[in-house]
Amino acid sequence: MLTLTRTKHAPLGLSIGPSMASVVQLSGSATAIDLRLAVQSPLPQVTGMAPETADRSIAEALRTLVTDHRLKGRPVVACLGSDEIMVETVRLPLLPPEEIAKAAQWEASERLSLPIEQMEVRYLVAGEVRQENTTRQEVILIACPKELIRRRLKVLETAGLTPVGLDIEPCAFLRSLQRAQGTSDVIRMAYLYCSETSVTVMFAEGSRILFLKSIPMGGRQFDNAVAQSLGIELDDAREMRSDVFSSHILDGENEVHRSIIDALRPCFESIIDEIELCLRYHKVTFRGRPLDGLVMSGSESAPWLAEYFSDRVGLVCRPVTPLDGIHGTPAAVQKSPGRWATPLGLAMKRLISGNP
């Protein structure tokens, strides 16, 4: 989203989640990527803290991560999570590029809940669409409070890191998943990215994003649902659910598996309803061009969950391992590949662009 200073070092890709920080560093080229490191570290629980106190706690945890793992180099590309950005889709007349930026700012000022001067606004041109008898441009507005960006950069600097770029999570995971699939620019795919706080639905043609929506239903909501359904402590629910999600298949004879799925069925149904609405929007908006497939990744994804969604939405859902084809990936990292999609995509940002 933002490009800052350049550096001669290969930047770290850093994803800061609600409970975990994930770091990836790469070397090589866009066509031959080597994994130099992939590490994760828990973050302190900061819910209820004052913003400055929370930021200091996270910065200290990141400083410890850097020191304990002896990370080489301090340049970092970080990101704003899907739950930290605001997304609006607008339709504009066919305008030259310099006019789109002005129109996007005006649309944002009309639609965003905060005053436009407090927001950082960017836009993505999805493409031309037909509206009645008129051709218009589908434009995705992406906004974030400037104060949140300032705080994120300060956290990184306080941790002893040098921010050289700030991306958004959807662009980061699309970058890594597209590389893992070997997707060409003419293939139109649907993506489901399941994280701690949300499920992001994205449609993209190659690297061009056509549609983006974040559903506020992720791992944390899953854990709460299990705890309430089974009447157990949240930590126990989190451990039980994590064990089930790490399984490649569901065991119908296993009581724990059955209990977890029964507890999560309402959550899954809510997600499916939203996915179906998104698919319907694509069908109506981008007439005559069906999606070529649906892929799933993220920290809260699972092969059996992909099968479950396939059966319900009528489109084959395939889990994608973002680390496929990257040299030097240790077995420990390969056991939970989905959680590396975002930091990997962040680390790839400079590698792909060719910037130092």
Side-chain angles (χ1 to χ4, degrees), residues 132-192:
E132 297 178 348
N133 295 321
T134 306
T135 300
R136 300 177 68 84
Q137 284 181 315
E138 187 96 335
V139 175
I140 303 171
L141 303 179
I142 300 171
C144 179
K146 293 179 180 179
E147 176 62 15
L148 177 56
I149 294 174
R150 184 197 66 79
R151 287 176 52 199
R152 182 60 44 83
L153 295 175
K154 185 177 179 181
V155 164
L156 298 174
E157 292 166 351
T158 303
L161 297 165
T162 303
V164 296
L166 188 61
D167 207 348
I168 60 171
E169 185 177 45
C171 286
F173 71 69
L174 175 62
R175 195 176 296 122
S176 64
L177 297 181
Q178 186 188 16
R179 184 214 57 83
Q181 298 175 94
T183 305
S184 73
D185 287 341
V186 299
I187 300 298
R188 182 171 292 189
M189 298 294 295
Y191 296 85
L192 295 181

Side-chain angles (χ1 to χ4, degrees), residues 56-240:
R56 283 196 299 270
S57 297
I58 294 172
E60 184 58 36
L62 292 177
R63 184 182 291 275
T64 300
L65 183 155
V66 170
T67 302
D68 288 353
H69 293 280
R70 299 179 180 179
L71 302 186
K72 295 182 179 180
R74 297 296 181 267
V76 63
V77 177
C79 75
L80 300 165
S82 296
D83 58 330
E84 295 177 316
I85 59 176
M86 305 173 195
V87 178
E88 292 279 352
T89 299
V90 299
R91 289 183 180 173
L92 304 177
L94 297 179
L95 299 170
E98 63 273 13
E99 294 296 325
I100 295 178
K102 295 178 183 178
Q105 286 287 330
W106 186 87
E107 290 285 352
S109 68
E110 291 291 304
R111 294 168 181 265
L112 298 178
S113 57
L114 293 176
I116 190 65
E117 59 270 13
Q118 297 179 19
M119 305 296 291
E120 189 74 36
V121 179
R122 295 290 187 270
Y123 68 90
L124 302 170
V125 177
E128 296 182 3
V129 298
R130 294 289 296 176
Q131 184 173 331
E132 297 178 348
N133 295 321
T134 306
T135 300
R136 300 177 68 84
Q137 284 181 315
E138 187 96 335
V139 175
I140 303 171
L141 303 179
I142 300 171
C144 179
K146 293 179 180 179
E147 176 62 15
L148 177 56
I149 294 174
R150 184 197 66 79
R151 287 176 52 199
R152 182 60 44 83
L153 295 175
K154 185 177 179 181
V155 164
L156 298 174
E157 292 166 351
T158 303
L161 297 165
T162 303
V164 296
L166 188 61
D167 207 348
I168 60 171
E169 185 177 45
C171 286
F173 71 69
L174 175 62
R175 195 176 296 122
S176 64
L177 297 181
Q178 186 188 16
R179 184 214 57 83
Q181 298 175 94
T183 305
S184 73
D185 287 341
V186 299
I187 300 298
R188 182 171 292 189
M189 298 294 295
Y191 296 85
L192 295 181
Y193 188 76
C194 308
S195 72
E196 280 188 80
T197 57
S198 64
V199 173
T200 299
V201 182
M202 177 194 291
F203 307 139
E205 191 167 281
S207 59
R208 179 164 61 95
I209 297 175
L210 306 174
F211 175 86
L212 184 62
K213 182 174 183 178
S214 180
I215 305 167
M217 185 77 69
R220 288 196 161 188
Q221 290 78 11
F222 296 165
D223 294 337
N224 286 325
V226 171
Q228 292 177 11
S229 176
L230 302 183
I232 59 178
E233 295 294 326
L234 185 59
D235 287 345
D236 295 331
R238 183 179 299 112
E239 184 176 351
M240 289 175 63

